[in-house]
Amino acid sequence: MAERIESGMYRTDDLDYITDKPHMFEGQEMPDEAYYKALDNGMITDLPENGRLVYTHDFYVAMYKKLESGMGSVEAYESLGFDTKVTGAEKAYQAAKRAREKAAANKLYTVDPSSYDGSIPPEQMMEMANLSNEELIAYLKARNYYLEELVEAQKKTQSVLADILTSSKAKR
């Protein structure tokens, strides 16, 4: 049996070829490469064995914004980089339903900086969703927090590197 890794996928297949494709249930057909390429857009965090897709929080925020702007479920899903000809339109309807449920339960927190991923560059964030002024401020706060942490990490890395001796002469 292959080793199971954190993402719910198996490291090797039955012939010990290394693979990160999900293990399929008995009798279930293995999706083709186009299916995996259609999901390679940074909006999926996991593809568990049951076939359900686990989307990022930013996906739901962007999906809800597109639905609120008047787009249909399939149109909004495709505008976020998914190909419904490959994944199926049912995934678009389910994702839209889940985005609306999260918004109704006030779980999107679209004006809370912690609901945005600051590691996403501003250009990419602007492509994903049309943000209101309040949402833009929340995203920029998250971006600022991210960059501050990055600078702190770089400072610590420099001090560690500065302590390493680079000369064969002894210190006086």
CSV table of all heavy atoms in Angstrom, one decimal, residues 108-140:
chain,number,residue,atom,x,y,z
A,108,LEU,N,-17.9,35.2,5.4
A,108,LEU,CA,-16.9,35.7,4.4
A,108,LEU,C,-16.1,36.8,5.0
A,108,LEU,O,-14.9,37.0,4.6
A,108,LEU,CB,-17.6,36.1,3.1
A,108,LEU,CG,-18.1,35.0,2.3
A,108,LEU,CD1,-18.8,35.6,1.0
A,108,LEU,CD2,-17.1,34.0,1.9
A,109,TYR,N,-16.7,37.6,5.9
A,109,TYR,CA,-16.0,38.7,6.6
A,109,TYR,C,-15.2,39.5,5.5
A,109,TYR,O,-14.0,39.7,5.7
A,109,TYR,CB,-15.0,38.3,7.7
A,109,TYR,CG,-15.8,37.5,8.7
A,109,TYR,CD1,-15.5,36.1,8.9
A,109,TYR,CD2,-16.7,38.1,9.6
A,109,TYR,CE1,-16.2,35.4,9.9
A,109,TYR,CE2,-17.3,37.4,10.6
A,109,TYR,CZ,-17.1,36.0,10.7
A,109,TYR,OH,-17.7,35.3,11.7
A,110,THR,N,-15.8,40.0,4.5
A,110,THR,CA,-15.2,40.6,3.4
A,110,THR,C,-14.4,41.9,3.8
A,110,THR,O,-13.6,42.4,3.0
A,110,THR,CB,-16.1,40.9,2.3
A,110,THR,OG1,-17.2,41.7,2.7
A,110,THR,CG2,-16.7,39.6,1.7
A,111,VAL,N,-14.7,42.5,4.9
A,111,VAL,CA,-14.0,43.7,5.3
A,111,VAL,C,-13.1,43.5,6.5
A,111,VAL,O,-12.5,44.4,7.1
A,111,VAL,CB,-15.0,44.9,5.7
A,111,VAL,CG1,-15.7,45.3,4.5
A,111,VAL,CG2,-15.9,44.5,6.8
A,112,ASP,N,-12.8,42.2,6.8
A,112,ASP,CA,-11.9,41.9,7.9
A,112,ASP,C,-10.6,41.5,7.2
A,112,ASP,O,-10.5,40.6,6.4
A,112,ASP,CB,-12.4,40.7,8.7
A,112,ASP,CG,-11.5,40.3,9.8
A,112,ASP,OD1,-10.6,41.0,10.1
A,112,ASP,OD2,-11.8,39.2,10.3
A,113,PRO,N,-9.4,42.2,7.6
A,113,PRO,CA,-8.2,41.8,7.0
A,113,PRO,C,-7.8,40.4,7.1
A,113,PRO,O,-7.1,39.9,6.2
A,113,PRO,CB,-7.2,42.7,7.7
A,113,PRO,CG,-8.0,43.8,8.2
A,113,PRO,CD,-9.3,43.3,8.5
A,114,SER,N,-8.2,39.7,8.1
A,114,SER,CA,-7.8,38.3,8.3
A,114,SER,C,-8.5,37.4,7.3
A,114,SER,O,-8.1,36.2,7.1
A,114,SER,CB,-8.1,37.8,9.7
A,114,SER,OG,-9.5,37.8,9.9
A,115,SER,N,-9.4,37.9,6.5
A,115,SER,CA,-10.1,37.1,5.5
A,115,SER,C,-9.4,37.2,4.2
A,115,SER,O,-9.8,36.5,3.2
A,115,SER,CB,-11.6,37.5,5.4
A,115,SER,OG,-11.7,38.7,4.8
A,116,TYR,N,-8.3,37.9,4.1
A,116,TYR,CA,-7.6,38.1,2.8
A,116,TYR,C,-6.2,37.5,3.0
A,116,TYR,O,-5.6,37.6,4.0
A,116,TYR,CB,-7.5,39.5,2.4
A,116,TYR,CG,-8.8,40.1,2.0
A,116,TYR,CD1,-9.6,40.8,2.9
A,116,TYR,CD2,-9.3,40.0,0.7
A,116,TYR,CE1,-10.8,41.3,2.5
A,116,TYR,CE2,-10.5,40.5,0.3
A,116,TYR,CZ,-11.3,41.1,1.2
A,116,TYR,OH,-12.5,41.6,0.9
A,117,ASP,N,-5.7,37.0,1.9
A,117,ASP,CA,-4.3,36.4,1.8
A,117,ASP,C,-3.4,37.5,1.4
A,117,ASP,O,-3.4,37.9,0.2
A,117,ASP,CB,-4.3,35.2,0.9
A,117,ASP,CG,-2.9,34.5,0.8
A,117,ASP,OD1,-2.0,35.0,1.5
A,117,ASP,OD2,-2.8,33.5,0.1
A,118,GLY,N,-2.6,38.0,2.3
A,118,GLY,CA,-1.7,39.1,1.9
A,118,GLY,C,-0.5,38.7,1.0
A,118,GLY,O,0.2,39.6,0.5
A,119,SER,N,-0.3,37.4,0.8
A,119,SER,CA,0.8,37.0,0.0
A,119,SER,C,0.4,37.1,-1.5
A,119,SER,O,1.3,37.0,-2.4
A,119,SER,CB,1.2,35.6,0.3
A,119,SER,OG,0.2,34.7,0.0
A,120,ILE,N,-0.8,37.4,-1.8
A,120,ILE,CA,-1.3,37.5,-3.2
A,120,ILE,C,-0.9,38.9,-3.6
A,120,ILE,O,-1.3,39.9,-3.0
A,120,ILE,CB,-2.8,37.3,-3.3
A,120,ILE,CG1,-3.1,35.8,-3.0
A,120,ILE,CG2,-3.3,37.6,-4.7
A,120,ILE,CD1,-4.6,35.5,-3.0
A,121,PRO,N,-0.2,39.1,-4.8
A,121,PRO,CA,0.1,40.4,-5.2
A,121,PRO,C,-1.1,41.2,-5.6
A,121,PRO,O,-2.2,40.6,-6.0
A,121,PRO,CB,0.9,40.2,-6.5
A,121,PRO,CG,1.3,38.7,-6.4
A,121,PRO,CD,0.3,38.0,-5.6
A,122,PRO,N,-1.1,42.6,-5.5
A,122,PRO,CA,-2.3,43.4,-5.7
A,122,PRO,C,-2.9,43.2,-7.2
A,122,PRO,O,-4.1,43.2,-7.3
A,122,PRO,CB,-1.8,44.8,-5.6
A,122,PRO,CG,-0.6,44.7,-4.7
A,122,PRO,CD,0.0,43.4,-5.0
A,123,GLU,N,-2.0,43.0,-8.1
A,123,GLU,CA,-2.5,42.8,-9.5
A,123,GLU,C,-3.4,41.6,-9.6
A,123,GLU,O,-4.4,41.6,-10.3
A,123,GLU,CB,-1.3,42.7,-10.5
A,123,GLU,CG,-0.4,43.9,-10.5
A,123,GLU,CD,0.6,43.8,-9.4
A,123,GLU,OE1,1.1,42.7,-9.0
A,123,GLU,OE2,1.0,44.9,-8.9
A,124,GLN,N,-2.9,40.5,-9.0
A,124,GLN,CA,-3.7,39.3,-9.1
A,124,GLN,C,-5.0,39.4,-8.3
A,124,GLN,O,-6.0,38.9,-8.7
A,124,GLN,CB,-2.8,38.1,-8.5
A,124,GLN,CG,-3.5,36.8,-8.7
A,124,GLN,CD,-2.6,35.6,-8.2
A,124,GLN,OE1,-1.5,35.9,-7.8
A,124,GLN,NE2,-3.1,34.4,-8.2
A,125,MET,N,-5.0,40.1,-7.1
A,125,MET,CA,-6.2,40.3,-6.3
A,125,MET,C,-7.2,41.1,-7.1
A,125,MET,O,-8.4,40.8,-7.1
A,125,MET,CB,-5.8,41.0,-5.0
A,125,MET,CG,-7.0,41.2,-4.1
A,125,MET,SD,-8.0,39.7,-3.7
A,125,MET,CE,-7.1,39.1,-2.4
A,126,MET,N,-6.8,42.1,-7.8
A,126,MET,CA,-7.7,42.9,-8.6
A,126,MET,C,-8.3,42.2,-9.8
A,126,MET,O,-9.4,42.5,-10.1
A,126,MET,CB,-7.0,44.2,-9.1
A,126,MET,CG,-6.5,45.1,-8.0
A,126,MET,SD,-7.8,45.5,-6.9
A,126,MET,CE,-6.9,45.6,-5.4
A,127,GLU,N,-7.6,41.2,-10.3
A,127,GLU,CA,-8.1,40.4,-11.4
A,127,GLU,C,-9.2,39.4,-10.8
A,127,GLU,O,-10.2,39.1,-11.5
A,127,GLU,CB,-7.0,39.5,-12.0
A,127,GLU,CG,-6.1,40.3,-12.9
A,127,GLU,CD,-5.0,39.5,-13.4
A,127,GLU,OE1,-5.0,38.2,-13.3
A,127,GLU,OE2,-4.0,40.0,-14.0
A,128,MET,N,-9.0,39.0,-9.6
A,128,MET,CA,-10.0,38.0,-9.0
A,128,MET,C,-11.3,38.6,-8.7
A,128,MET,O,-12.3,37.9,-8.8
A,128,MET,CB,-9.4,37.3,-7.8
A,128,MET,CG,-8.2,36.4,-8.1
A,128,MET,SD,-7.8,35.3,-6.7
A,128,MET,CE,-7.5,36.4,-5.4
A,129,ALA,N,-11.3,39.8,-8.1
A,129,ALA,CA,-12.6,40.4,-7.7
A,129,ALA,C,-12.6,41.9,-7.7
A,129,ALA,O,-11.5,42.5,-7.6
A,129,ALA,CB,-12.9,39.9,-6.2
A,130,ASN,N,-13.7,42.5,-8.0
A,130,ASN,CA,-13.9,43.9,-7.9
A,130,ASN,C,-14.2,44.2,-6.5
A,130,ASN,O,-15.2,44.0,-6.0
A,130,ASN,CB,-15.0,44.4,-8.8
A,130,ASN,CG,-14.7,44.2,-10.3
A,130,ASN,OD1,-13.6,44.2,-10.7
A,130,ASN,ND2,-15.7,43.9,-11.1
A,131,LEU,N,-13.2,44.8,-5.8
A,131,LEU,CA,-13.3,45.1,-4.4
A,131,LEU,C,-13.9,46.5,-4.1
A,131,LEU,O,-13.5,47.5,-4.8
A,131,LEU,CB,-11.9,45.0,-3.7
A,131,LEU,CG,-11.2,43.7,-3.9
A,131,LEU,CD1,-9.8,43.8,-3.2
A,131,LEU,CD2,-12.0,42.6,-3.2
A,132,SER,N,-14.7,46.6,-3.1
A,132,SER,CA,-15.2,47.9,-2.7
A,132,SER,C,-14.1,48.6,-2.0
A,132,SER,O,-13.0,48.0,-1.7
A,132,SER,CB,-16.4,47.8,-1.8
A,132,SER,OG,-16.0,47.2,-0.6
A,133,ASN,N,-14.3,49.9,-1.7
A,133,ASN,CA,-13.2,50.6,-1.0
A,133,ASN,C,-12.9,50.0,0.4
A,133,ASN,O,-11.7,49.9,0.8
A,133,ASN,CB,-13.6,52.1,-0.8
A,133,ASN,CG,-13.6,52.9,-2.1
A,133,ASN,OD1,-12.9,52.5,-3.0
A,133,ASN,ND2,-14.3,54.0,-2.1
A,134,GLU,N,-13.9,49.5,1.1
A,134,GLU,CA,-13.7,48.9,2.4
A,134,GLU,C,-12.9,47.6,2.3
A,134,GLU,O,-12.0,47.3,3.1
A,134,GLU,CB,-15.0,48.6,3.2
A,134,GLU,CG,-15.8,49.9,3.6
A,134,GLU,CD,-16.6,50.5,2.4
A,134,GLU,OE1,-16.9,49.7,1.4
A,134,GLU,OE2,-17.0,51.6,2.5
A,135,GLU,N,-13.3,46.8,1.3
A,135,GLU,CA,-12.6,45.5,1.0
A,135,GLU,C,-11.2,45.8,0.6
A,135,GLU,O,-10.3,45.0,0.9
A,135,GLU,CB,-13.4,44.7,0.0
A,135,GLU,CG,-14.7,44.3,0.5
A,135,GLU,CD,-15.6,43.7,-0.6
A,135,GLU,OE1,-15.5,44.2,-1.8
A,135,GLU,OE2,-16.5,42.9,-0.3
A,136,LEU,N,-11.0,46.8,-0.3
A,136,LEU,CA,-9.6,47.1,-0.7
A,136,LEU,C,-8.7,47.5,0.5
A,136,LEU,O,-7.6,47.1,0.6
A,136,LEU,CB,-9.7,48.2,-1.8
A,136,LEU,CG,-8.3,48.7,-2.3
A,136,LEU,CD1,-7.6,47.5,-3.0
A,136,LEU,CD2,-8.5,49.8,-3.3
A,137,ILE,N,-9.3,48.3,1.4
A,137,ILE,CA,-8.5,48.7,2.6
A,137,ILE,C,-8.2,47.4,3.4
A,137,ILE,O,-7.1,47.3,3.9
A,137,ILE,CB,-9.3,49.7,3.4
A,137,ILE,CG1,-9.3,51.0,2.6
A,137,ILE,CG2,-8.7,49.9,4.8
A,137,ILE,CD1,-10.3,52.1,3.2
A,138,ALA,N,-9.1,46.5,3.6
A,138,ALA,CA,-8.9,45.3,4.4
A,138,ALA,C,-7.8,44.5,3.7
A,138,ALA,O,-6.9,43.9,4.4
A,138,ALA,CB,-10.2,44.5,4.5
A,139,TYR,N,-7.9,44.3,2.3
A,139,TYR,CA,-6.9,43.6,1.6
A,139,TYR,C,-5.5,44.2,1.8
A,139,TYR,O,-4.5,43.5,2.0
A,139,TYR,CB,-7.2,43.4,0.1
A,139,TYR,CG,-6.0,43.0,-0.7
A,139,TYR,CD1,-5.5,41.8,-0.6
A,139,TYR,CD2,-5.4,44.0,-1.5
A,139,TYR,CE1,-4.3,41.4,-1.3
A,139,TYR,CE2,-4.2,43.6,-2.2
A,139,TYR,CZ,-3.7,42.3,-2.1
A,139,TYR,OH,-2.6,42.0,-2.8
A,140,LEU,N,-5.4,45.5,1.7
A,140,LEU,CA,-4.2,46.2,1.8
A,140,LEU,C,-3.6,46.1,3.2
A,140,LEU,O,-2.4,46.0,3.4
A,140,LEU,CB,-4.3,47.7,1.4
A,140,LEU,CG,-4.6,47.9,-0.1
A,140,LEU,CD1,-4.9,49.4,-0.4
A,140,LEU,CD2,-3.4,47.4,-1.0
